[in-house]
Amino acid sequence: MSERANANAGLSTTLRRVRRALVLVAVGLGIQLATTLMWTPLTFVLFAALGLGAVGLGAAAFLWSIWRHIDEADEEASS
Amino acid sequence: MNTALMLATTFVALVIVIVAIVTTTELVRHSSGRFLLLVAAVLLPLAVSGGGVLAGVKRSSETDFCISCHEMEPYGRSLFVDNAESLPAAHYQQRLITREQTCYACHTDYAMFGDVKAKLNGLKHVWVHYVTGAPDKIELYQPYPNYNCLHCHDDARGFLEVKEHKKDPAALQSGEVSCLKCHDVGHDLRAAGDGPFWQAAEKP
């Protein structure tokens, strides 16, 4: 595979990871929105456990995907 | 943060994240777009979630929230019983505590992690309500601590001038003598069933 093709493949992998992370964040915000509409003790727990959990995981996954992208680009440059 | 504002900010954040999902390919091409992705995926959602947690914690401290479970309904009604000896009723009706946070004002320890402990206990209550079922007799986790009373009454004139309080203030401070030894009517659940109830007079 050529260098350019390698770079494109790397970028599309990163894009996929970023999109997945964003989807997770969107799901978390969606749960937060839904639970806020009907505020009860149970929905507060769901808000905290699922809503915050998904947003936190999504944000972490986003940062991780950027980290991986930089790491892989460095490896590629050094090889 | 009130509920409407919280809903609005969460909705706007959600829309921004969805737009970012749809336009990821275009956004990564420019540095400003990449920064926007960082905002959409990390900064904005975390800020909105943080605001949501603060608003949620505040709302979960409100009287309506506490008595929204049927197990707590009699305790909510006991705030209106016509019994001046009943501590919760007297505190509520005389406005000695804020009506918005009636339960929270007396059932949260005024200690360093009192709020955290109250919220963790709240989690336990949700579990009991939905999973194991509430016990027939609801009891406090620990004997009611004097420092929760003294937090407000300690230097109040009405407290200081009572003869009995002057006898051994150290015993009251240390909790050796419980406030409930004399003030022994908590929630008047018998009267909460069929009254009599106090009705707030209508404002002229």
Side-chain angles (χ1 to χ4, degrees), chain B residues 8-157:
Chain B
T9 50
T10 310
F11 180 74
V12 170
L14 181 60
V15 170
I16 291 173
V17 174
I18 290 170
V19 170
I21 292 170
V22 176
T23 59
T24 312
T25 318
E26 287 76 36
L27 287 174
V28 292
R29 287 191 190 138
H30 313 283
S31 57
S32 56
R34 289 194 286 272
F35 178 70
L36 201 67
L37 270 179
L38 179 71
V39 170
V42 181
L43 303 180
L44 187 61
L46 290 184
V48 167
S49 299
V53 169
L54 289 180
V57 166
K58 187 171 174 282
R59 277 184 71 180
S60 66
S61 309
E62 289 174 3
T63 312
D64 287 349
F65 186 87
C66 298
I67 58 175
S68 64
C69 291
H70 67 85
E71 292 92 341
M72 287 295 119
E73 279 172 14
Y75 295 87
R77 279 200 305 275
S78 77
L79 298 172
F80 294 92
V81 298
D82 192 12
N83 179 357
E85 297 293 310
S86 165
L87 292 175
H91 279 75
Y92 182 82
Q93 293 167 21
Q94 304 292 343
R95 280 191 175 274
L96 299 176
I97 45 179
T98 166
R99 288 191 176 158
E100 286 72 35
Q101 297 195 339
T102 305
C103 313
Y104 201 69
C106 295
H107 289 287
T108 303
D109 283 356
Y110 290 99
M112 187 182 259
F113 297 109
D115 290 337
V116 177
K117 197 173 146 195
K119 294 301 161 201
L120 290 176
N121 282 339
L123 267 182
K124 212 185 291 178
H125 300 160
V126 172
W127 178 263
V128 165
H129 178 80
Y130 287 103
V131 182
T132 60
D136 292 335
K137 193 178 176 209
I138 297 172
E139 289 179 331
L140 295 173
Y141 290 106
Q142 59 182 19
Y144 196 84
N146 282 7
Y147 53 76
N148 279 358
C149 306
L150 294 172
H151 177 76
C152 298
H153 292 282
D154 196 16
D155 57 355
R157 183 174 176 178

Side-chain angles (χ1 to χ4, degrees), chain A residues 19 22 26 32 36 39 42 52, chain B residues 6 14 21 25 49 56 59:
Chain A
R19 265 204 206 100
L22 282 166
Q32 288 185 21
T36 307
W39 204 253
L42 180 64
L52 290 184
Chain B
M6 192 176 141
L14 181 60
I21 292 170
T25 318
S49 299
R59 277 184 71 180

